[in-house]
Amino acid sequence: MANLIRLFIDGALATGNQLDLREDQAHYVNNVMRLQAEDRVAVFNGCDGEWQARIVSARKKKCLIEVEDKTRDQDGCPDLWLVFAPIKKQRMDFIVEKATELGVAALVPVITQRTITSRINTERLHAQVIEASEQCERLNIPAIKEAVSLAQLIKDWPQERRLFVLNEQGGAPAINLGLQNADSQEPAAILVGPEGGFDPSELDLLLKLPFVTPLSIGPRILRADTAALAALSCWQSVLGDWQTPLRER
């Protein structure tokens, strides 16, 4: 299975099921990877585990596969959201791709006072997390939430989910100490501000909320994308699934 290309399938997976690949997937299989009938691919849909499938027919923009055998049982990922202020396209692409690799369960764009990009193409982000999940051998893909204002995010926030806020204005405990005191079983989210940082009034509001824990990620001011990925890595190391070794491949 290690050498098979992986494809996310929007359909039920069971032995004998035949499925038409999407046009972009068919193009990738037929024209980029140059696979042919009787070649094998790995497929997953986020709920039925991973399966080996046989290419039945491959013609230009069409590719039909037949599901054969399950090779991995479905697993989950830590219940961790990344809540981030959208930034410039290239750097936001980087956040989305790497956050997927780092195992987030959901990506939540939030519009703050200093956010410079407010247009979010959720369909495009969805395609990016699928591609990243295929590459990193996840068995699920992160949910993509619709962008909301910070005020609306706070209003609708589920009280049982701990919100770790990266506080770039100082005074917050170091991230390793803050996370060591957290409950690993508690649903969580990490909130990263925009490139210009949170407005002081926004931080004042956030720090008064009972479900918010402020954290510091060191003595240097990090770019928004660096801060997001550094915080996710710390959380996974202390509270997440980085204790689980890589499976034999």
Side-chain angles (χ1 to χ4, degrees):
M1 289 295 293
N3 295 325
L4 299 185
I5 67 167
R6 302 181 75 242
L7 300 170
F8 178 77
I9 300 296
D10 187 14
L13 298 177
T15 301
N17 282 12
Q18 291 196 346
L19 302 165
D20 286 307
L21 298 185
R22 300 192 317 267
E23 185 174 315
D24 62 315
Q25 290 178 323
H27 170 75
Y28 176 68
V29 169
N30 299 343
N31 304 318
V32 178
M33 301 304 297
R34 298 188 179 279
L35 300 185
Q36 301 174 352
E38 301 306 318
D39 286 335
R40 265 65 179 180
V41 296
V43 294
F44 67 106
N45 63 0
C47 58
D48 294 326
E50 185 173 82
W51 296 69
Q52 178 176 281
R54 176 177 61 91
I55 298 175
V56 176
S57 62
R59 301 186 308 276
K60 294 184 179 180
K61 298 180 180 180
K62 298 285 187 180
C63 187
L64 178 67
I65 63 171
E66 181 174 307
V67 181
E68 294 184 326
D69 304 310
K70 179 184 278 192
T71 54
R72 291 170 64 193
D73 289 329
Q74 184 65 38
D75 61 13
C77 61
D79 191 1
L80 175 66
W81 297 358
L82 175 62
V83 186
F84 65 101
I87 55 178
K88 294 176 182 177
K89 178 178 176 295
Q90 185 176 5
R91 290 188 174 276
M92 187 160 67
D93 290 349
F94 185 74
I95 288 178
V96 170
E97 177 185 284
K98 301 310 176 186
T100 301
E101 293 181 25
L102 288 168
V104 299
L107 291 155
V108 187
V110 60
I111 309 303
T112 68
Q113 291 187 37
R114 296 177 180 173
T115 299
I116 60 173
T117 301
S118 58
R119 288 187 177 182
I120 307 298
N121 186 335
T122 54
E123 184 175 333
R124 181 169 165 276
L125 296 186
H126 184 68
Q128 287 179 315
V129 299
I130 288 176
E131 183 176 350
S133 296
E134 291 171 342
Q135 181 66 33
C136 73
E137 300 193 9
R138 281 182 67 147
L139 289 181
N140 48 44
I141 62 171
I144 304 293
K145 307 288 188 179
E146 292 293 334
V148 294
S149 67
L150 181 61
Q152 190 65 45
L153 180 86
I154 292 171
K155 179 181 178 182
D156 297 336
W157 192 258
Q159 299 290 305
E160 71 279 4
R161 183 175 295 277
R162 173 62 46 187
L163 181 59
F164 295 104
V165 175
L166 302 189
N167 181 355
E168 73 278 3
Q169 295 189 357
I175 189 168
N176 61 320
L177 298 177
L179 293 179
Q180 285 172 4
N181 294 325
D183 181 357
S184 63
Q185 302 303 310
E186 185 180 36
I190 294 172
L191 173 58
V192 183
E195 291 175 301
F198 291 108
D199 184 87
S201 64
E202 293 173 325
L203 270 180
D204 288 344
L205 174 61
L206 285 165
L207 297 183
K208 292 175 182 176
L209 299 172
F211 52 81
V212 164
T213 296
L215 297 174
S216 167
I217 49 175
R220 290 167 292 279
I221 299 299
L222 305 181
R223 298 188 72 122
D225 50 343
T226 306
L229 303 181
L232 290 176
S233 298
C234 290
W235 191 94
Q236 282 285 33
S237 178
V238 177
L239 298 174
D241 61 7
W242 278 13
Q243 321 306 322
T244 303
L246 181 66
R247 67 187 179 87
E248 293 187 9
R249 304 171 69 248

